[in-house]
Amino acid sequence: MWTVEKARALHDAPFNNLLFLAQTVHRQNFDPNKVQLSRLLSIKTGGCPEDCGYCSQSAHHETGLKASKLMEVERVIAEATKARDAGATRYCMGAAWRNPKPREMDAVVAMIDGVKALGMETCMTLGMLDLEQAARLKQAGLDYYNHNIDTSERYYSEIINTRSFADRLETLEHVRQSGIKVCCGGIVGMGEDRIDRIDMLVTLANLPEHPESVPINMLIPIPGTPLAEARPIEPIEFVRVIALARIMMPKSYVRLSAGRTAMTDEMQALCFFAGANSIFVGDTLLTADNPGEDKDTLLFRRLGIEPMELDAQ
């Protein structure tokens, strides 16, 4: 079991020592010059009844985003095919729901079938799940389910009030019981303290099993949301979070997720050195901008990094 005190001691160590340890752990478990490419598609955008303070898709915020219906299965498969042909090996599909309704599950299952038929790993994020819903997604062949805890339990109520921290942990348990791999991380730069970022990782590392995928998002301030004026996290502080995640969850994929458009190449290089080994590719990330594939290809070439192949995952 990890304690906050032990994790904080690592986090607050001299930066070079922290990075050396993180890179050592990373090399023991992964090829340090391979990064997994994932693609994220919003299959149902906007109109979400949750009040997450960072989210452009919440119906509680005036962000100018128009709600859409669930995307047609054929279109999802077509987008996944393009992503696969561009080098992505995992396809993530996100719907702005509190939880999926029974009438929507048939289409969701068809999307999973279609994407798996392309030879890609599948991931979905659809809000809260009960045990029956998780079991149906497992039966459909879903590989990963994403459900972030977002921040520490202490700071959680400052960000979200429409569902509890315990609700999120319950969904994670349903996903784990069903046999689906867990994708769970958080968002930094939401006005939280350093100890909240550490405590968030302690919660993840103390789950019955480590999440197989740990996305670390840097807040993208969205006009119209309560966090539109949040003070950005300093780059060195962000890299410390990546390094700590790698050390505490050595076999997990640590994904450099939202916020990469605001990162310099040098900051991303430090994140890869600290143990990040997965990114989202493509021009958009749900509703936010993301570095284009050309830019990522150039960065990989400069760093000597290669995309990870599916059979190596």
Side-chain angles (χ1 to χ4, degrees):
M1 289 284 289
W2 282 90
T3 64
V4 172
E5 292 74 23
K6 183 179 178 182
R8 186 170 192 169
L10 279 171
H11 179 281
D12 295 350
F15 190 64
N16 285 345
N17 292 3
L18 176 64
L19 259 61
F20 180 76
L21 178 56
Q23 174 66 191
T24 301
V25 170
H26 189 50
R27 284 175 177 267
Q28 290 168 351
N29 294 280
F30 293 98
D31 184 329
N33 297 308
K34 294 285 181 71
V35 171
Q36 177 205 61
L37 304 186
S38 299
R39 190 72 178 258
L40 177 62
L41 177 70
S42 179
I43 59 174
K44 193 280 174 189
T45 304
C48 182
E50 305 283 12
D51 69 350
C52 307
Y54 50 80
C55 188
S56 64
Q57 303 196 64
S58 171
H60 295 259
H61 313 323
E62 296 293 334
T63 62
L65 185 69
K66 186 177 179 181
S68 71
K69 294 181 179 179
L70 183 64
M71 193 179 287
E72 300 86 358
V73 174
E74 294 75 14
R75 186 178 165 202
V76 172
I77 306 309
E79 292 294 326
T81 301
K82 289 191 286 187
R84 180 199 63 182
D85 293 346
T89 57
R90 183 181 299 174
Y91 203 66
C92 307
M93 295 159 274
W97 292 328
R98 176 175 171 82
N99 53 279
K101 302 298 187 290
R103 67 177 182 273
E104 296 146 346
M105 290 296 285
D106 286 346
V108 166
V109 166
M111 291 174 191
I112 296 169
D113 286 340
V115 175
K116 285 191 74 69
L118 297 173
M120 303 178 79
E121 288 185 332
T122 52
C123 180
M124 286 210 160
T125 178
L126 312 170
M128 294 187 289
L129 295 180
D130 59 28
L131 264 174
E132 183 179 345
Q133 290 169 325
R136 183 158 186 210
L137 293 175
K138 171 62 177 177
Q139 187 177 17
L142 185 67
D143 297 300
Y144 287 81
Y145 193 81
N146 167 259
H147 198 66
N148 293 334
I149 59 172
D150 288 346
T151 189
S152 69
E153 186 172 9
R154 182 198 73 85
Y155 195 65
Y156 184 87
S157 62
E158 298 292 322
I159 306 299
I160 302 153
N161 293 291
T162 49
R163 77 172 93 163
S164 69
F165 196 80
D167 288 335
R168 292 188 180 261
L169 295 179
E170 183 179 53
T171 288
L172 293 176
E173 180 58 25
H174 291 161
V175 170
R176 181 64 77 189
Q177 285 183 29
S178 75
I180 298 171
K181 294 176 182 177
V182 172
C183 175
C184 185
I187 307 170
V188 299
M190 299 192 293
E192 76 283 345
D193 292 333
R194 173 183 279 193
I195 195 63
D196 293 307
R197 299 192 282 270
I198 296 169
D199 193 38
M200 175 185 75
L201 294 179
V202 169
T203 297
L204 294 175
N206 284 341
L207 290 172
E209 295 180 51
H210 291 162
E212 283 84 356
S213 175
V214 181
I216 305 295
N217 299 272
M218 189 169 76
L219 178 72
I220 301 174
I222 305 292
T225 64
L227 294 175
E229 303 300 325
R231 183 180 178 183
I233 183 173
E234 295 180 357
I236 297 298
E237 289 293 298
F238 185 87
V239 176
R240 283 186 181 274
V241 175
I242 295 289
L244 188 60
R246 169 50 66 219
I247 295 165
M248 294 174 71
M249 292 168 279
K251 296 184 182 299
S252 302
Y253 284 88
V254 177
R255 181 175 297 126
L256 200 55
S257 297
R260 288 201 300 122
T261 51
M263 299 180 190
T264 63
D265 286 354
E266 291 77 12
M267 181 178 172
Q268 291 189 71
L270 277 176
C271 288
F272 292 135
F273 188 78
N277 64 337
S278 180
I279 62 169
F280 282 118
V281 292
D283 296 329
T284 56
L285 200 61
L286 291 179
T287 65
D289 290 337
N290 197 50
E293 290 172 26
D294 289 347
K295 187 173 182 181
D296 286 330
T297 299
L298 181 60
L299 177 60
F300 276 26
R301 189 178 302 142
R302 292 172 64 200
L303 297 178
I305 287 175
E306 296 179 354
M308 195 177 293
E309 297 179 2
L310 185 60
D311 59 6
Q313 296 173 29

